[in-house]
């Protein structure tokens, strides 16, 4: 085949015939492009309305942030020292998937002390206790074990919005049953709750004491709900993270006081609130044998276990932390009463004294868009609150305030807020 020539600059170069074009540079026929994609369940997740407001407060030096669920106290020194000592001692290797045995044993004793009854002094055995990398991690792990795409999770609202996101991530369908706010507080219609559970319902979610409402389910109500889940074969997910934040007894009523070892019950708890450990990401789950075995499997493919030296901090909290818990709860009681007294005097505010948790969730007359109200409050008063719309049905027209803060800080926030609530 004849060769061609071409002039490039001042040089003459040989152009090879088509047969001599190297394989690597030949132009191949176009093939269909397979594009990388993000699962629709992730791509379509809505941003948190709490975070939408929270981000606007970054860098504001005079801000009083009362929007997220944590105290202004740092983790107690004895917990920090225990974790540091474990780190220095070399507890940096892989740990037991379901948690350090010493921590699981301590948690078993702690739970039985709080929720044992004369008839059932030890309702929980160590075989049912699993340590997780935060309470949220525990929720996600158990839902991975129980939900198929299209399954339904029925949740009592207003509620911490992460439960809805967790269900959607797994392709499940969350359904809300809203509480109502009356003169005596928040209340739940159990008939409406049970009617919402259909043939695809796999789990019923109850957060008591409630975030954001401060509502607390009674032991009689818990017994009725547990019996319903037994009959229907529905998992009962009990978020009891705020069980120590109750102001007339050592702890709130727990499903653990009523349940048998093989009941379809999963109880989630966390070190974050009672011991001021929100940044540590440490929690625990109590479940029956089948769920505990399943949790062990999914932990292997999620985290492979919880950070060992963090667990030693948790162990110190359980063993030596009761005085701090009492101090924290008393501080929150003072904060609750201060906030309730101040907001009760505002003519546009409808509020009841919270039974438990460490939030005031109050209705403001004339506010249709609580996200915009919280943004306005941020810029006009330098106080950060969480919009009620973030917590699902029942939260319309309400905002959440975390009173797990110093009384002086709360008093200053009330002085700033009240002119905008008249």
């Amino acid at each position: 085949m004849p060769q061609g020539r071409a002039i490039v600059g001042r040089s003459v170069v040989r152009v090879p015939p088509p047969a001599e074009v190297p394989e690597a540079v030949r132009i191949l026929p176009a093939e269909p492009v397979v594009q990388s994609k993000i699962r629709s369940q992730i791509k379509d997740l809505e941003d948190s309305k709490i975070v939408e407001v929270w981000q606007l407060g970054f860098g504001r030096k005079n801000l009083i942030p009362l929007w997220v669920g944590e105290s202004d106290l740092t983790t107690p020194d004895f917990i920090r020292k225990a974790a540091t000592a474990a780190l220095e001692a070399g507890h940096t290797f892989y740990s037991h998937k379901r948690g350090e045995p010493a921590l699981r044993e301590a948690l078993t004793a702690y739970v039985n002390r709080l929720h044992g009854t004369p008839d059932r002094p030890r309702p929980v055995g160590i075989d049912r206790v699993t340590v997780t990398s935060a309470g949220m991690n525990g929720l996600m792990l158990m839902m991975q074990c129980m939900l198929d795409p299209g399954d339904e999770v029925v949740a009592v609202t207003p509620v911490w919005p992460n439960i809805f996101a967790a269900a959607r991530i797994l392709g499940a369908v969350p359904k809300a049953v809203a509480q109502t706010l009356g003169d005596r507080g928040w209340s739940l219609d159990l008939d409406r709750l049970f009617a919402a559970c259909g043939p695809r319902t796999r789990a019923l979610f109850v957060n008591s004491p409630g975030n954001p409402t401060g509502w607390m389910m009674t032991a009689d109500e818990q017994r009725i709900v547990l019996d319903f889940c037994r009959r229907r074969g529905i998992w009962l997910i009990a978020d009891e993270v705020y069980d120590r934040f109750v102001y007339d007894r050592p702890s709130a009523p727990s499903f653990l006081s009523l349940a048998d070892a093989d009941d379809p019950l999963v109880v989630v708890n966390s070190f974050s609130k009672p011991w001021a450990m929100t940044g540590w990401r440490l929690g625990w789950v109590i479940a029956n044998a089948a769920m505990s075995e399943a949790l062990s499997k999914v932990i292997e493919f999620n985290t492979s276990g919880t950070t060992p030296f963090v667990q030693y901090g948790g162990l110190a909290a359980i063993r030596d932390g009761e005085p701090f818990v009492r101090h924290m709860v008393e501080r929150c009681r003072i904060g609750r009463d201060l906030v309730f007294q101040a907001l009760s005097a505002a003519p546009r505010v409808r509020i009841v004294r919270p039974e438990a948790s460490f939030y005031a969730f109050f209705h403001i007359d004339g506010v249709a868009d609580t996200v915009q109200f919280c943004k306005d409050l941020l810029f006009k008063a330098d106080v950060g609150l969480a919009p009620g719309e973030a917590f699902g049905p029942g939260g319309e027209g309400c905002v959440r305030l975390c009173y797990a803060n110093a009384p002086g800080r709360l008093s200053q926030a009330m002085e700033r807020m009240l002119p905008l609530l008249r």
Side-chain angles (χ1 to χ4, degrees):
M1 182 174 292
Q3 300 179 4
R5 291 189 303 170
I7 298 176
V8 179
R10 296 182 178 180
S11 303
V12 178
V13 298
R14 175 178 174 269
V15 179
E20 297 181 27
V21 175
E23 182 72 23
V25 299
R26 290 181 185 173
I27 299 176
L28 300 176
E31 294 185 0
V33 177
V34 179
Q35 295 193 359
S36 301
K37 62 177 289 187
I38 304 297
R39 288 176 56 228
S40 60
Q41 289 87 349
I42 306 299
K43 187 171 60 175
D44 296 340
L45 281 177
E46 294 183 4
D47 292 334
S48 166
K49 291 181 173 64
I50 302 172
V51 174
E52 181 182 340
V53 179
W54 180 47
Q55 289 176 332
L56 296 176
F58 289 165
R60 296 184 71 87
K61 296 181 180 180
N62 198 34
L63 176 68
I64 301 177
L66 306 177
W67 36 31
V68 294
E70 64 180 356
S71 169
D72 58 344
L73 296 177
T74 57
T75 304
D77 185 61
F78 71 94
I79 297 176
R80 302 199 309 270
K81 285 182 176 178
T84 301
L87 185 60
E88 293 293 339
H91 291 284
T92 59
F93 298 93
Y94 289 125
S95 181
H96 299 267
K97 286 190 293 185
R98 294 182 58 199
E100 290 285 341
L103 179 55
R104 291 176 64 205
E105 183 177 355
L107 284 167
T108 303
Y110 170 80
V111 169
N112 287 329
R113 175 172 59 81
L114 285 181
H115 303 306
T117 64
D119 295 336
R120 302 159 56 90
R122 291 181 56 83
V124 174
I126 190 173
D127 57 312
R128 297 174 59 197
V129 178
T130 299
V131 178
T132 59
S133 302
M136 182 62 224
N137 173 246
L139 278 172
M140 181 60 82
L141 290 170
M142 75 173 73
M143 293 176 77
Q144 289 175 6
C145 294
M146 65 177 65
L147 296 178
D148 287 321
D151 286 346
E152 296 174 351
V153 179
V154 174
V156 177
T157 63
V159 72
W160 182 52
N162 289 33
I163 183 64
F164 290 126
R168 291 188 178 106
I169 286 170
L170 296 171
V173 180
K175 295 177 64 177
V177 177
Q179 296 174 272
T180 56
L181 176 60
D183 294 338
R184 301 183 63 182
W186 293 88
S187 61
L188 173 64
D189 184 331
L190 292 182
D191 290 334
R192 288 184 57 240
L193 178 66
F194 299 153
C197 297
R200 290 302 303 268
T201 301
R202 294 292 174 268
L204 195 160
F205 180 83
V206 177
N207 171 214
S208 174
N211 170 15
T213 61
W215 164 79
M216 186 166 59
M217 183 174 269
T218 67
D220 288 340
E221 289 172 324
Q222 289 180 335
R223 185 175 289 105
I224 294 169
V225 171
L226 180 59
D227 286 343
F228 173 81
C229 291
R230 284 169 174 161
R231 294 194 308 271
R232 288 286 305 274
I234 295 173
W235 284 104
L236 173 55
I237 305 172
D239 177 347
E240 299 186 356
V241 165
Y242 296 92
D243 66 341
R244 300 305 304 273
F245 290 91
V246 56
Y247 303 104
D248 61 354
R249 65 195 88 176
S251 63
S254 171
F255 284 99
L256 294 171
S257 299
L258 307 170
D260 296 326
D262 58 351
D263 273 331
L265 170 70
V266 185
V267 175
V268 184
N269 216 313
S270 172
F271 287 82
S272 292
K273 314 301 181 179
W275 297 283
M277 295 174 68
T278 51
W280 291 63
R281 314 318 297 143
L282 185 63
W284 71 91
V285 170
I286 298 174
N288 61 24
M291 177 58 75
S292 295
E293 181 180 355
L295 283 170
S296 180
K297 291 180 180 179
V298 295
I299 286 171
E300 171 67 25
F301 303 109
N302 278 268
T303 61
S304 297
T306 301
T307 307
F309 56 86
V310 168
Q311 294 188 63
Y312 280 91
L315 181 60
I318 291 293
R319 287 180 172 173
D320 305 318
E322 279 304 300
F324 181 81
V325 173
R326 289 193 293 270
H327 167 68
M328 174 75 91
V329 173
E330 176 59 18
R331 193 170 183 260
C332 288
R333 185 192 64 77
I334 293 170
R336 177 196 66 164
D337 293 346
L338 185 158
V339 168
F340 175 75
Q341 182 176 1
L343 292 178
S344 296
R348 294 172 58 204
V349 170
R350 184 155 51 100
I351 185 173
V352 293
R353 193 186 304 268
E355 295 181 85
S357 79
F358 52 47
Y359 303 106
F361 196 61
F362 52 96
H363 187 274
I364 307 171
D365 292 342
V367 172
D369 183 345
T370 60
V371 174
Q372 188 59 50
F373 174 84
C374 288
K375 291 178 180 179
D376 292 343
L377 186 70
L378 172 65
F379 291 120
K380 294 178 181 178
D382 269 319
V383 176
L385 301 185
E389 294 163 41
F391 302 95
E396 302 86 355
C398 297
V399 294
R400 188 190 73 175
L401 179 153
C402 176
Y403 54 73
N405 283 266
R409 197 181 201 191
L410 294 172
S411 294
Q412 187 178 10
M414 294 299 100
E415 291 174 2
R416 295 181 183 183
M417 288 171 54
L418 286 175
L420 299 175
L421 298 174
R422 294 194 176 102

